Amino acid sequence: MDPKLKKTKDSSSNSANSPDSTHSSFPFPDEVLERVLSLLHSHKDRSSVSLVCKDWYNAERWTRTKLFIGNCYSVSPEIVARRFPRIKSVTLKGKPRFSDFNLVPQYWGADVHSWLVMFAKVYPFLEELRLKRMTLSDESLKFLATSFPGFKALSLLSCDGFSTDGLKAIATHCKNLTELDIQENGIDDFGGGWLSCFSENCSSLEVLNFASLSSDVSFDALEKLVRRCKSLRILKVNKSISLDQLQQLLVQAPQLIELGTGSFQQELTPRQYEDLETAFSKCKNLQTLSGLWEATSLHLPVLYAACASLTFLNLSYATLRSDELAKLVAHSPNLRRLWVLDTVEDKGLETVGSSCPLLEELRVYPADPFELDLHHGVTEAGFLAVSHGCRKLHYVLYFCRQMTNAAVATIVQNCPDFTHFRLCIMNPGEPDYLTNEPMDEAFGAVVKTCTNLQRLAVSGLLTDLTFEYIGRYAKNLETLSVAFAGSSDRGMQCVLQGCPKLRKLEIRDSPFGNAALLSGVEKYETMRSLWMSACNVTMSACRLLAKDMPRLNVEVMRDEGSDDRQADKVYVYRSVAGPRRDAPPFVLTL
Amino acid sequence: MEKGVAYDNDMNLKATELRLGLPGTDESQKEYSSFVKSNKRSSEEMDSSCNEEECAPAPKALVVGWPPVRSYRKNVLQQQQKKSDSDVSGMYVKVSMDGAPYLRKIDIKVYKNYPDLLIALENMFKCSMGVYSEREGYNGSEYAPTYEDKDGDWMLVGDVPWDMFVTSCKRLRIMKGSEAKGLGCQ
């Protein structure tokens, strides 16, 4: 790479910087500055660097190779193309997070195609594309596969609009593919034939994750692929792969660092069982284990030998009982992250507390989210037990049906380092079940004690007091999720006025209205986005906001049969690209 | 839409009152989104509440997108639920005993292991089956427990791990000890 070929210097940009210079005003030649800046990877740092002066802005834009765009509508492909000439890796996020829960209609947008067209023109050497909550068609995937000869890594999380036909194109045309990571997307699965499209020469795969696809793949093709790809470190197969097939794969790839099993239920002969056990014991580098669909106590013991090195165990698709979990975690003393279903109950969580002193992250998902019966799942007792034994806990996602203020207060006393606290009491508006009081004091304790809190999701019966606490104490809070909470506009106002680092605020079914919305007029440009649905906001307030703040996009979606004046779903986000031009008819841009 | 619930003699008009929920449940039970002015309900719930009335189980999925579980995860777990729904309702198998005039039925899911099952069978049929051994089976006992597996073969109870037995057992037969001698216990 020859630095002299790259650009023409704008001399006026230099003279402004230093009055008494005879040569380049800046002490460092460009080459040195760029060398230094090319070592910077964090996009936040790069943002800061670009604001220092014009020279640094230029040096930064020439050395940036990784692009991170948290909201695809905050900027346009043209603007990006003008500013950054040398991008090799792109991360793009699209729809608002509540689209994961069906709150955003289909065809809302976030289509990646216009971005791909720009990339093909300006970044022909693009190597990596990571999309989250974007829409992409099979045509887009074909375009991607055939437009970038050096393309290496594709990661799709929570995306929609494509099918396995698009994956065929990727497997067929991307000769240097190192990563194919397809997670939890709403796609049409027309069969597993895509896996057979990898050419027999393809041996570069390092990451292959097709766990969330349902159809059978050709085991023969998979086995040969795994055997050829000696650098394979992450393999997550889908349910169609049986236990004895898994054994054959493991024998080919004992170097795996992350493994997602297929179905964990099969009648095995004693010999097969032994072979499987041996195969697992040979995986000395295994750090992450997931999959385990339909796992029962019959086959879990084959894992024990591999558990010693595990740092992340994802059991969130295995309906394990407390005793089954107990045995697993007893063999896994090095766990840092654990995801389980609430079938393990409080008893199971107690064993986690006693077996995993290094635990940093716990997620407890509901096995039956719509079950109203209180006798299933976990309670405050399980959470308390984990907090007693795992003092390093800093990330929690906990779905439960009952909680108390006292329990949460004790939990954060035990674990004051929470950075992510997401508590979901599943019955909306549920009070402290012992005292019948609102859960205000619980979240008050969280924000007062956990000074490093970055992300908070609240639930249960909550008054404005919760939000007063949040505004007053949560000085590092970046993301706040609110549902069925608060008593008046004041609640939301406290948050908008009090949390200096707030970037994402998502609210549903809460009594916040126009006064609350408009109190944040000056705040929203410092944030990535605001979502409010089923609140008390009207169209007139939204129009006012849109009029006052031209650099905010204010979008409204109305529900069927609702009053013309109601703004049922409001999405506000900052943008340098102006209102979006691809909005479908049901999205009103104000 | 007046479907008669049980007719009380004293014209209990409350019983014929249209409302959601099981008959006899307290009217003041918690309402979702009671403090949000527009009661948004998912359309699936609207249909079921109109057609199934009080006899339906408590309505599920009252609110769109709540609890906040991603669709992918919801679908996967729903599929698993369907599979294991048979687990929830119990695993009743017929039990016959040689010489007994009629059969019984037991729920094998209720037992945690072989000894529990054998004791229950011994009590139910007033017989003795002794202790299982891999080599001898139930040799020496008056009776021996056998079962028909998924393939239709008659097997001796106790050979395979308990969990495997539970999923493959279709019916039980308590055989006379003298006849059971031929069942692969060599």
Side-chain angles (χ1 to χ4, degrees), chain B residues 14 18 31-32 39 49 59-60 76-77 79-81 85-86 91 94 100 127-128 134 153-154 157 165:
Chain B
K14 218 167 151 52
L18 270 183
E31 273 259 309
Y32 288 128
N39 248 355
S49 67
K60 296 192 169 187
V76 167
L77 291 173
Q79 278 170 17
Q80 286 193 351
Q81 279 300 101
D85 261 347
S86 57
M91 192 87 123
K94 290 184 190 167
C127 62
S128 87
E134 207 179 316
D153 298 319
W154 283 95
V157 169
F165 165 74

Side-chain angles (χ1 to χ4, degrees), chain A residues 274-408:
Chain A
E274 226 183 272
D275 285 346
L276 187 58
E277 219 173 7
T278 309
F280 269 107
S281 68
K282 294 229 164 91
C283 295
K284 302 281 182 208
N285 298 323
L286 213 55
Q287 288 176 15
T288 296
L289 190 58
S290 59
L292 299 168
W293 287 290
E294 293 150 355
T296 64
S297 46
L298 197 55
H299 297 303
L300 286 172
V302 306
L303 298 173
Y304 294 164
C307 285
S309 54
L310 283 186
T311 57
F312 178 20
L313 188 50
N314 180 355
L315 303 169
S316 63
Y317 293 105
T319 51
L320 298 187
R321 297 186 313 252
S322 54
D323 54 304
E324 290 165 333
L325 178 68
K327 291 201 201 96
L328 257 184
V329 296
H331 285 90
S332 319
N334 288 313
L335 275 188
R336 305 285 197 276
R337 301 169 68 197
L338 177 63
W339 297 10
V340 292
L341 281 176
D342 64 358
T343 51
V344 303
E345 298 188 337
D346 292 330
K347 229 164 146 253
L349 293 181
E350 274 164 44
T351 66
V352 172
S354 49
S355 309
C356 307
L358 302 176
L359 198 70
E360 296 172 12
E361 174 177 331
L362 174 70
R363 299 195 193 195
V364 182
Y365 290 96
D368 197 354
F370 308 114
E371 174 61 64
L372 299 175
D373 183 355
L374 279 182
H375 297 298
H376 294 294
V378 294
T379 71
E380 77 280 10
F383 199 171
L384 268 167
V386 175
S387 75
H388 276 304
C390 310
R391 299 297 170 121
K392 297 192 175 183
L393 204 60
H394 69 81
Y395 190 122
V396 77
L397 170 61
Y398 201 81
F399 283 84
C400 58
R401 290 185 178 88
Q402 64 184 50
M403 187 53 61
T404 67
N405 288 306
V408 176

Side-chain angles (χ1 to χ4, degrees), chain A residues 433-453:
Chain A
Y433 82 97
L434 285 180
T435 65
N436 246 357
E437 284 170 2
M439 295 296 296
D440 296 333
E441 293 308 317
F443 294 103
V446 172
V447 293
K448 281 179 207 160
T449 316
C450 307
T451 49
N452 291 325
L453 196 68

Side-chain angles (χ1 to χ4, degrees), chain B residues 57-75:
Chain B
K60 296 192 169 187
L62 280 184
V63 182
V64 175
W66 189 265
V69 175
R70 280 200 193 149
S71 332
Y72 170 76
R73 178 176 291 280
K74 256 195 325 219
N75 292 339

Side-chain angles (χ1 to χ4, degrees), chain B residues 169-182:
Chain B
C169 171
K170 303 279 288 298
R171 55 187 296 166
L172 283 159
R173 176 183 163 200
I174 301 180
M175 245 177 183
K176 275 216 149 62
S178 46
E179 283 189 45
K181 268 215 158 130

